[in-house]
Each structure stands twice: as structure tokens, then as C-alpha cells.
Amino acid sequence: MYARQLSNRTELQWVEINKHVKDALVLMDDAAAECLHWHGGLKKILDGGAISVESFSPFVVRMNSILVFICFSYPLH
């Protein structure tokens, strides 16, 4: 039961994220990319209107682009 609730909540987060990626360069960390892999894959973000999806890196330089950063963090216990 808990796994289904978590999956549904995560799916809703991706729906919300997709509202903000139209015409944007999306930069995401490894955790976000793995989560996306299990919830629709790269096609989901591209169908939301993203121009490009790349790994989050301080070396990415784009001028005159909308940037959307997707970073997932997990509590350290």
C-alpha cells in the first residue's frame, strides 16, 4: 500500500514539474533522472515542451534560455 501511495505522489510531482518546462533547457541531477526513469522517462519531459534535458553541471552555459533545475535531495540518516 505504501509503495503505491509513494508512486502516486511522485507521479503528481512530475505532472507539476511538466507545467514549468515548456521551451526550457532542463538540468537535473542523477537522483531526479533516476526517478524520472521510473515515472515515464525522458519522453515525459520532452512531451512537456522541454527543448533539451542535460545532466546538472556547473559547466553548462546557455545564453537566452529558460533554465529549469530539477534536483532531488534525500535526508541523511
Side-chain angles (χ1 to χ4, degrees):
M1 182 72 172
Y2 177 74
R4 179 175 288 166
Q5 290 172 343
L6 180 61
S7 180
N8 290 342
R9 185 181 308 162
T10 305
E11 183 62 33
L12 289 174
Q13 288 176 335
W14 285 110
V15 168
E16 187 62 32
I17 288 169
N18 262 3
K19 294 177 183 177
H20 303 282
V21 299
K22 185 169 176 52
D23 299 326
L25 166 62
V26 177
L27 302 172
M28 65 175 59
D29 66 3
D30 291 340
E34 182 66 20
C35 182
L36 179 62
H37 167 77
W38 289 101
H39 291 276
L42 181 60
K43 185 175 181 339
K44 180 177 222 103
I45 293 290
L46 295 176
D47 286 348
I51 295 170
S52 178
V53 179
E54 298 183 23
S55 179
F56 181 73
S57 169
F59 302 108
V60 174
V61 177
R62 299 277 194 226
M63 301 304 291
N64 301 322
S65 293
I66 299 169
L67 296 175
V68 174
F69 295 90
I70 305 172
C71 300
F72 284 14
S73 62
Y74 297 96
L76 300 175
H77 293 202

